[in-house]
Amino acid sequence: KSNNNELPSPIVLRKSLKNYYDNNIIYAKHHINPACRNAIAILRSYKKNNNGKLKIIKAKRLAMRIDSELIRIDNNKLRITIRPNEYEYIDIVDKNRKYNEYSKYKISEVLLTDNKVCITFIIGSLNKPLINNNIIGFDLNFKTIDYTIIKDNEIVETNTIDTSDIAKTQRDYARKRTKIQRHIKNPEKRNRKLKESRHRQRNIIRDKLQKLTTKIVNDNSDKTFVFEDLTNIKKQGRKNKNNRNNKNNNEDSKASNKNNKSKRFRTDINTWPYRLFQRFIDYKSKNKTLYVNPEGTSSECPVCGEKLKHPIWKISECSNCGVNFNRNRLSSLSISVRGLYLCGTPFTVSGSSSWYSMRNNYLYHPDHVIIEDSNDCKKYVHNNA
């Protein structure tokens, strides 16, 4: 009732129960976290399997999860905190052939049932090495992924990976869901079809990113990966709610429209799977992954430090250098340079001879190319440009 007739999230439930739990429950405080997660998971499953109706639930199987803060392995025994300074010890059966390897890592969670205890570990959570002389920086965009490799203070390679098929998949499924909402009148059938569409889209995107990141990590296993820290980037996809209130005031409405992005941009940025790509790379790479401040990577020239202008989205125009650079590739260079600073090995592009040998790879080239036939000197336009 307090959540508009909807099931709350585990966090909302935990916040509402915290005072009651602290004053009335004598167990350790961390036990409330898995209790709330389990409660919401049970209710969601029950509601889904009972046509949205909620009734009193009977526990058919006893099980509980325990947070890692309440668990410790001590002398091949699992120590579980029940109350402050009160513990329960369970013998660990280490017959699993991978237990000795996994036990080196951090414990994630423990599942207790009526007949067994399951321990999960976060593999790869040990300190990963930092390769400070071999950096690969990525600039993530909606349709492309641009990267620059700097090795031993020299720019070795820059390239672009086409990811337009991922953006196309998202837009195709968005159009399918729009048709489903318009043409299917039966609510149950419509909801079922919408869930199927979202599930298929999620599986396709994850599959493509899994294959892409596996190939990237295998080809660059000896490098430190550097990304932009895009934690709050999706806030730009929120629609400005003040527009309706500012219709009468022309000046205020113009100012608010500048901050309010187009519908196409909001759709793209809200479905942009950048964090999934970063997480796959971080998980699969044997080396440490760095995250740099994204501010200014597209507005400051990494060669001379001059402020860049953007006549169109794809061009970075530097008045000091006097040339037009490819915006995305130049951003990847800035990200790589900032990654070197985090490694403690500053890199000055303008003072390195490698910049002049790789400079042409960063120049802007139009999408269309005019081809001239030497026989009849007729000009043909490529790609319908």
Side-chain angles (χ1 to χ4, degrees):
K1 292 180 180 178
S2 62
N3 204 53
N4 296 327
N5 228 12
E6 296 291 333
L7 288 177
S9 67
I11 298 175
V12 173
L13 180 61
R14 186 186 65 196
K15 288 181 178 179
S16 62
L17 293 177
K18 187 177 184 306
N19 291 332
Y20 173 82
Y21 188 91
D22 293 344
N23 297 325
N24 297 277
I25 307 300
I26 59 175
Y27 293 104
K29 292 185 178 181
H30 282 286
H31 282 297
I32 192 176
N33 299 329
C36 292
R37 288 200 300 269
N38 275 7
I40 296 301
I42 291 172
L43 289 174
R44 283 175 180 168
S45 177
Y46 193 87
K47 184 178 180 181
K48 178 181 177 181
N49 296 327
N50 289 275
N51 298 322
K53 297 179 181 179
L54 285 175
K55 299 179 181 179
I56 297 176
I57 300 173
K58 294 182 180 179
K60 296 181 179 180
R61 183 183 179 187
L62 297 178
M64 68 177 297
R65 298 181 184 274
I66 301 177
D67 275 0
S68 58
E69 290 83 357
L70 300 167
I71 304 163
R72 179 181 296 179
I73 295 179
D74 188 8
N75 295 328
N76 209 31
K77 289 186 177 183
L78 187 68
R79 193 193 79 174
I80 302 175
T81 303
I82 307 299
R83 300 178 183 87
N85 301 321
E86 182 181 341
Y87 309 103
E88 184 73 24
Y89 292 87
I90 302 175
D91 293 331
I92 295 176
V93 180
D94 55 358
K95 292 181 180 179
N96 190 304
R97 58 187 177 89
K98 291 188 176 181
Y99 173 75
N100 292 330
E101 176 188 351
Y102 289 164
S103 60
K104 300 176 184 177
Y105 296 101
K106 182 181 177 182
I107 297 178
S108 172
E109 198 175 50
V110 167
L111 172 64
L112 293 178
T113 67
D114 51 358
N115 59 0
K116 62 182 178 180
V117 180
C118 301
I119 309 174
T120 57
F121 298 93
I122 305 175
I123 63 173
S125 60
L126 294 177
N127 293 330
K128 295 183 178 181
L130 180 65
I131 312 299
N132 58 4
N133 61 347
N134 202 353
I135 294 285
I136 177 170
F138 287 90
D139 180 53
L140 307 181
N141 304 285
F142 295 148
K143 295 184 179 180
T144 60
I145 296 175
D146 299 83
Y147 65 87
T148 294
I149 301 175
I150 300 179
K151 184 177 181 180
D152 296 329
N153 285 328
E154 289 188 0
I155 304 173
V156 178
E157 182 185 353
T158 180
N159 210 339
T160 300
I161 302 172
D162 184 18
T163 57
S164 58
D165 57 333
I166 295 177
K168 183 178 182 300
T169 300
Q170 292 176 326
R171 288 171 182 165
D172 288 346
Y173 274 92
R175 283 193 291 269
K176 287 182 181 179
R177 286 192 291 272
T178 301
K179 291 181 179 179
I180 291 172
Q181 290 173 333
R182 287 178 179 176
H183 300 293
I184 298 181
K185 304 301 181 182
N186 189 329
E188 294 183 1
K189 184 178 179 181
R190 182 171 62 244
N191 292 336
R192 186 178 72 252
K193 291 291 184 182
L194 289 173
K195 288 182 180 179
E196 290 177 359
S197 174
R198 285 191 288 267
H199 185 70
R200 288 172 184 169
Q201 175 186 339
R202 183 171 62 250
N203 286 347
I204 292 173
I205 298 299
R206 289 181 71 92
D207 180 66
K208 290 182 178 180
L209 287 179
Q210 285 279 14
K211 293 175 181 177
L212 176 61
T213 53
T214 299
K215 184 178 184 305
I216 291 174
V217 171
N218 291 339
D219 294 342
N220 303 278
S221 58
D222 59 338
K223 299 178 180 64
T224 294
F225 291 87
V226 184
F227 296 104
E228 292 177 293
D229 184 5
L230 302 173
T231 304
N232 298 318
I233 188 67
K234 289 194 175 181
K235 287 184 178 180
Q236 299 183 23
R238 298 176 183 174
K239 192 172 183 180
N240 196 337
K241 297 180 181 179
N242 295 327
N243 278 359
R244 298 177 182 177
N245 301 328
N246 292 334
K247 285 184 178 179
N248 298 328
N249 193 334
N250 293 331
E251 294 182 359
D252 293 344
S253 61
K254 289 180 180 179
S256 61
N257 284 332
K258 291 181 180 179
N259 298 327
N260 197 17
K261 306 294 184 181
S262 65
K263 183 178 179 181
R264 177 72 170 270
F265 178 85
R266 296 198 307 270
T267 303
D268 285 340
I269 203 168
N270 285 325
T271 57
W272 187 27
Y274 74 93
R275 188 66 189 111
L276 193 59
F277 179 86
Q278 292 177 345
R279 194 164 68 240
F280 284 162
I281 291 287
D282 195 2
Y283 170 75
K284 297 176 183 180
S285 176
K286 296 180 180 179
N287 303 322
K288 191 173 182 179
T289 303
L290 301 178
Y291 295 89
V292 299
N293 184 6
E295 186 177 357
T297 54
S298 299
S299 60
E300 182 180 332
C301 181
V303 182
C304 60
E306 191 73 20
K307 190 172 183 179
L308 296 172
K309 298 179 181 179
H310 303 287
I312 61 174
W313 176 263
K314 296 182 179 180
I315 294 180
S316 289
E317 186 180 86
C318 181
S319 58
N320 190 26
C321 298
V323 292
N324 292 335
F325 293 107
N326 183 307
R327 176 173 181 162
N328 298 332
R329 288 195 177 183
L330 199 65
S331 296
S332 69
L333 177 59
S334 298
I335 295 168
S336 298
V337 171
R338 293 185 183 189
L340 284 175
Y341 272 95
L342 288 181
C343 294
T345 55
F347 177 77
T348 307
V349 180
S350 58
S352 175
S353 60
S354 63
W355 164 249
Y356 298 101
S357 62
M358 296 291 294
R359 184 170 175 267
N360 291 335
N361 295 322
Y362 288 93
L363 298 181
Y364 170 74
H365 299 286
D367 294 334
H368 63 277
V369 180
I370 298 178
I371 304 172
E372 184 174 350
D373 193 341
S374 59
N375 296 326
D376 55 5
C377 293
K378 291 182 179 180
K379 292 185 177 180
Y380 299 91
V381 181
H382 184 58
N383 286 345
N384 296 326

